[in-house]
Amino acid sequence: MKAIAVYPAGRRVELIDHPEPSFESPSEVKLRMLEVGICGTDKEIVAFEYGTPPAGFDYLIIGHESAGEVVEAGPESGLKPGDLVVPSVRRPCSHPECIACPAERQDFCYSGEFTERGIKQHHGYMAEYVVEDARFLNRVAAPLRPYAVLVEPLTIAEKAIEQVWDVQNRLPWKRPQAAAGNLGAGHQAIVLGAGPVGLLGAMALRVAGFDVCVYSRHTEGDGRTEIVRAIGAEFVDAQQVAVEEMVSRFGHTLDLVYEAVGASSLAFEFLKALGPNGVFIFTGVPGRKAPVSVDTDHLMREMVLKNQLVFGTVNAPRSSFEAAIRDIGVFAEKWPEALSRIITNRIPMDRALEPLSGTVHGIKNVVAIA
Ligand code: BGC
């Protein structure tokens, strides 16, 4: 079967012929891969900056944002041919002292010995067929097929929001206008970055009731600004409005910052805008650049005197996949056009190297396999 693989030692990325997998355990299923999204992590892997092949291989099949269709189902899988599924990415470690992995919370793995499909020591989904255990698959209703590939990037926001509810449980945070399911009502959130993680995060925050402002560079013609407006959020062009202006504009009213750019200097500037009892969430993974200077006394003083909380978040558990699947359904109903516009291009597998190497631009590029 065809697959896209990176050879880190040979510094090559190629469309390869890889043996078609077959399942071995009754809880496994065979998937025909439908679509695989391309994100910043994939671009780093094909630039040989990240990613590790599985033991015994000199190549790694990439791809971790995906949707597939069950073609053969083991008798104990609980799935059937034709089911649409989205697989998760991370697989548990077997370190005897890790308490997260045995609890199916490998997203919080302590040992760092987890594997990740398409990223770390485990082949990914940019292949015609994949075999996977049903416990790592999440069923999606058939009408959501056009958006199913967006579930994995949305899980980042869902895991973040789940943690916001947990940490803000420390406070009397619920405003009178909040109802079940919109605990964010009456709270102001800002999203840094209008890439797919930022836009999907902004949608999830809107559904959770927040007032949302997206701060990003405006790029002509790719629809980001329109998507933000369509979901009832405000778009602020970073080229027009400086960070300092944003900081003074929000004064003491900013309850949540959702960082989705991976640029630490911008992020730390925005930390100054966070209001009392606010939460700052880092989701970006910055590359190693020259050090930036920050006024640490100021930040520490503010964090203490304002009861602020800063956390980083990576990967996602099953509960976040379930929340993402529910929210994709809500987005599809409320904002079908905005949601569709997040996927800029669908590209066949034999042209996958174009979006991977950055010659095809857009918000989210997706490799259409079947
Ligand atoms: C993926 C995560 C993964 C992380 C680090 C991200 O692109 O969405 O699932 O844990 O990369 O490898």
Side-chain angles (χ1 to χ4, degrees), residues 39-99:
C39 78
T41 303
D42 300 304
K43 289 183 185 164
E44 282 182 16
I45 296 172
V46 302
F48 319 111
E49 289 163 12
Y50 198 57
T52 314
F57 286 86
D58 60 350
Y59 62 90
L60 169 75
I61 297 177
I62 62 165
H64 60 278
E65 298 180 358
S66 72
E69 184 192 330
V70 175
V71 285
E72 281 173 57
E76 289 166 24
S77 67
L79 291 164
K80 55 180 191 320
D83 282 346
L84 174 65
V85 293
V86 169
S88 66
V89 179
R90 197 175 277 194
R91 301 294 171 261
C93 77
S94 50
H95 197 284
E97 280 177 16
C98 182
I99 49 177

Side-chain angles (χ1 to χ4, degrees), residues 171-202:
L171 305 166
W173 212 60
K174 194 172 164 193
R175 295 208 190 269
Q177 63 266 51
N182 78 339
L183 285 175
H187 291 284
Q188 177 70 49
I190 187 161
V191 173
L192 305 181
V197 174
L199 292 172
L200 291 166

